[in-house]
Amino acid sequence: DEPSSHVDWSAGEIRLLTENVPWVPSSPDRPRRAGVSSFGISGTNAHVILEQAPDSSEPEGADTAVGSPADAATAPSRVLPWVLTAAGGGLVAQATRLAEFVEARPELPLADAALALATTRTVLDERAVVLADDRRRLLSGLAALAEGREDTHVVRNTARTGGRTAFLFAGQGSQRLGMGRELYETYPVFAEAFDAVDTELSFSLREILFAAEDDDEAVDRLNRTEFAQPALFALEVALFRLLESWGVRPDVLAGHSIGEIAAAHVAGVWSLADACRLVEARGRLMQALPEGGAMVAVQASEDEVLPLLDPVRVGIAAVNGPRSVVVSGEAGAVEEIADRFRADGRKVTALRVSHAFHSPLMEPMLAEFRAVAQELTYGQPSVPLVSTVTGEIASATELADPEYWVGHVRRPVRFADAVREAEATWWVELGADGTLSALAEACLDAAESAEGDARDRLVAPTLRRGRPEADSVLATAAELFTRGVPVRWAAALTAASPAVDPAAGAKAVDLPTYAFRRDRFWPANSPRSTRDLGLVGLGAAGHPLLGAAVELAGGDGVVLTGRLSAGGVEWLAEHVVG
């Protein structure tokens, strides 16, 4: 009630309030704010700054919120992530409580609720993400969580610390017409990164890549090396930028052939203009080489293949696993090696290629490619990059040497060594399909059988042929998040173009609070629990009336306690007064 004499109240605009006052704005062009202090008797102090809530009143005639029954039939459908986390086995209760809440409110805008889950909840270690594009699928996923059942639209795991995330950038052969089109139409971040690459090229990549799927001429053009390599580079850089905008960052990078150039660019080795110049020159010069080479994948080890090589006609193009080698070179020489392994009953797969990549047949292009590489500006990588030329972490000096990138064209892709060197827990493939994921799984399976279990391992492609692209990328993000990788779900929810996004303009709504278990941890109040004085830090007093003793600190005395009861000490009954 009385302002403190230790404060100069005239020096500012602060005054002690002794009665309720209206919370009026000091200026009409800024929100009201107030500070509330709590000075706890235990010494715990807290201060909260309150700001007035934004005006939520809608003008007359405003559109109904997206997700409500009024526009459910016309709202564009997109999968949204519903994020639930808990601790101490509370995920079932969380899912049950949320399902009951949603089911009782058919008018609830689903995008608003998804945003609230992503932005107004503490992130705990037990995690689940329900990927749903409508109310029915959401309730189905929540029911599966509550009942402990598997569901294709639910990702569930427990977060762990200390894991490493590797991004794998795919190589040529994985390209397909239309790859990235759905992401381009859905996420402006992806489209901006893709267009930035397209602008640096001497041809229109969009016209080739996003042509009609039944356009045979476009398919033929995309499969030409001069277009396939820039297309994969653009897709992978755009995928990286999309995940980066969601807060998903790798600890290590690796790329298969052309994929290593994409990895080096996002690590900071070149500017986008220089990287595009190198990629376009690489594809163009390879395409200009005479056709007629061949490539086959053989089920054999590198040591088994090496003695069969003719260094002038054929070489090893890739070592993709302990028993997975790609042989490349002149068709006749390649076929001779393939026949040797077919005769042994080994699996041999001919690859559909226009040229014999990473073979002696690449030699005629190297001088002109070297000239391009020497004109580029090189920088320090910001993320460790595993070289598929050496199979080891590449140094900044290596990556800044034009000769490294010339050798990169000619020498084998040591993908199996790169996987081993990366020492990652979670692997994310950036490409059009799961080609590298399958190769990495085989390498990791072999290492696991030799070195032990790796149950926390994840190998996930960002895109899958035949699966909606936005769904696929969100599912990969969910897999990473549930294992402990940070994901900014608010960014993922609001990243899509308003033209296709039901979350555009979404506002967080009130949802059920945490489903606490309410376990009791107080000791049971029973005679047995109080008889052992040692359990509560007391010693016996050795006195008929005083039952316990505790010494004061510093030897300053002793506190003696006891319970006086005529029923407990019989002779006291004769000394009761009143």
Side-chain angles (χ1 to χ4, degrees):
D1 294 332
E2 187 67 29
S4 171
S5 61
H6 298 286
V7 175
D8 180 6
W9 296 98
S10 65
E13 298 183 5
I14 303 294
R15 62 190 174 93
L16 181 69
L17 297 184
T18 58
E19 59 184 7
N20 292 338
V21 297
W23 191 21
V24 295
S26 58
S27 172
D29 60 351
R30 67 184 186 190
R32 294 171 293 179
R33 297 188 181 91
V36 181
S37 296
S38 171
F39 302 101
I41 197 169
S42 67
T44 301
N45 299 336
H47 187 75
V48 176
I49 298 176
L50 302 178
E51 181 177 287
Q52 72 179 85
D55 184 8
S56 61
S57 60
E58 296 286 350
E60 290 187 12
D63 292 339
T64 308
V66 172
S68 63
D71 71 347
T74 58
S77 177
R78 180 171 79 87
V79 165
L80 298 178
W82 288 66
V83 182
L84 292 88
T85 69
L91 204 55
V92 168
Q94 287 288 85
T96 301
R97 179 176 289 194
L98 183 61
E100 292 171 351
F101 181 84
V102 173
E103 196 160 16
R105 291 164 177 79
E107 77 285 357
L108 178 70
L110 298 187
D112 289 6
L115 185 64
L117 287 172
T119 59
T120 66
R121 293 293 184 267
T122 299
V123 177
L124 304 173
D125 287 343
E126 295 173 15
R127 304 181 181 183
V129 179
V130 180
L131 299 169
D133 58 358
D134 59 27
R135 180 185 175 82
R136 177 191 58 79
R137 182 168 290 178
L138 170 63
L139 290 172
S140 174
L142 291 174
L145 263 179
E147 298 166 13
R149 292 185 286 104
E150 294 292 324
D151 188 290
T152 56
H153 303 292
V154 176
V155 181
R156 179 178 181 175
N157 222 304
T158 301
R160 54 161 288 185
T161 57
R164 281 165 51 91
T165 304
F167 279 9
L168 303 176
F169 294 75
Q172 190 171 344
S174 61
Q175 71 275 2
R176 54 182 168 80
L177 200 63
M179 61 182 185
R181 186 205 307 270
E182 293 176 33
L183 295 179
Y184 185 94
E185 295 172 347
T186 303
Y187 297 111
V189 170
F190 182 95
E192 182 179 343
F194 185 94
D195 286 343
V197 174
D198 205 0
T199 301
E200 297 292 341
L201 301 175
S202 62
F203 56 89
S204 173
L205 188 57
R206 281 183 58 192
E207 289 183 7
I208 297 171
L209 188 56
F210 295 161
E213 294 187 6
D214 58 354
D215 187 339
D216 294 337
E217 184 179 344
V219 173
D220 292 339
R221 278 188 299 169
L222 180 60
N223 286 331
R224 289 172 59 88
T225 300
E226 59 185 313
F227 301 128
Q229 293 191 15
L232 287 168
F233 175 84
L235 174 75
E236 292 164 10
V237 169
L239 277 170
F240 180 88
R241 298 303 178 201
L242 180 62
L243 290 175
E244 182 182 51
S245 73
W246 296 354
V248 181
R249 297 283 299 175
D251 298 297
V252 64
L253 305 170
H256 198 289
S257 194
I258 186 63
E260 187 168 334
I261 295 182
H265 161 62
V266 299
V269 174
W270 305 288
S271 66
L272 182 62
D274 276 356
C276 289
R277 186 179 175 191
L278 190 69
V279 168
E280 187 170 0
R282 193 177 190 269
R284 172 176 52 80
L285 294 172
M286 286 183 178
Q287 185 65 49
L289 292 171
E291 297 185 3
M295 299 178 72
V296 296
V298 296
Q299 184 185 23
S301 67
E302 183 178 8
D303 290 340
E304 290 177 300
V305 174
L306 282 173
L308 307 177
L309 300 179
D310 176 348
V312 177
R313 303 172 61 212
V314 65
I316 291 178
V319 182
N320 290 328
R323 290 174 59 80
S324 178
V325 173
V326 177
V327 178
S328 178
E330 293 182 6
V334 169
E335 192 58 28
E336 289 174 11
I337 295 174
D339 286 342
R340 291 282 295 271
F341 288 103
R342 286 194 190 98
D344 291 339
R346 307 286 188 88
K347 183 178 180 181
V348 176
T349 305
L351 306 183
R352 296 179 60 186
V353 294
S354 59
H355 295 79
F357 304 113
H358 298 279
S359 80
L361 275 62
M362 295 288 106
E363 295 283 351
M365 65 159 283
L366 298 184
E368 192 172 346
F369 185 71
R370 179 181 292 108
V372 174
Q374 289 173 340
E375 294 176 354
L376 307 181
T377 301
Y378 295 82
Q380 296 275 342
S382 59
V383 183
L385 173 64
V386 183
S387 165
T388 51
V389 175
T390 65
E392 299 176 351
I393 296 290
S395 67
T397 303
E398 277 182 299
L399 296 175
D401 184 357
E403 287 303 318
Y404 173 87
W405 298 103
V406 174
H408 183 265
V409 171
R410 172 66 180 83
R411 294 173 64 181
V413 178
R414 308 201 69 84
F415 181 73
D417 291 341
V419 170
R420 182 177 62 252
E421 179 72 12
E423 295 183 340
T425 318
W426 307 300
W427 307 79
V428 179
E429 178 179 351
L430 276 63
D433 206 350
T435 309
L436 286 191
S437 297
L439 297 178
E441 283 275 18
C443 294
L444 295 168
D445 284 343
E448 180 180 319
S449 61
E451 301 172 11
D453 189 16
R455 286 170 293 180
D456 292 326
R457 185 179 84 203
L458 169 70
V459 183
T462 48
L463 298 181
R464 280 286 197 185
R465 184 187 297 269
R467 182 176 181 182
E469 292 181 342
D471 298 14
S472 185
V473 176
L474 281 171
T476 298
E479 291 280 8
L480 291 169
F481 170 77
T482 57
R483 285 167 168 81
V485 177
V487 177
R488 292 203 304 263
W489 286 111
L493 271 163
T494 58
S497 167
V500 299
D501 188 10
K507 299 176 182 178
V509 295
D510 288 337
L511 296 177
T513 54
Y514 188 84
F516 289 103
R517 291 174 55 183
R518 307 195 181 282
D519 292 336
R520 181 179 176 87
F521 294 99
W522 291 105
N525 186 17
S526 68
R528 180 171 184 173
S529 66
T530 58
R531 285 176 182 170
D532 186 354
L533 299 176
L535 293 176
V536 291
L538 302 177
H543 188 278
L545 294 181
L546 303 174
V550 59
E551 293 186 8
L552 297 179
D556 290 338
V558 63
V559 176
L560 300 167
T561 60
R563 183 182 181 90
L564 295 179
S565 167
V569 183
E570 293 181 1
W571 56 265
L572 281 178
E574 301 176 1
H575 298 272
V576 174
V577 179

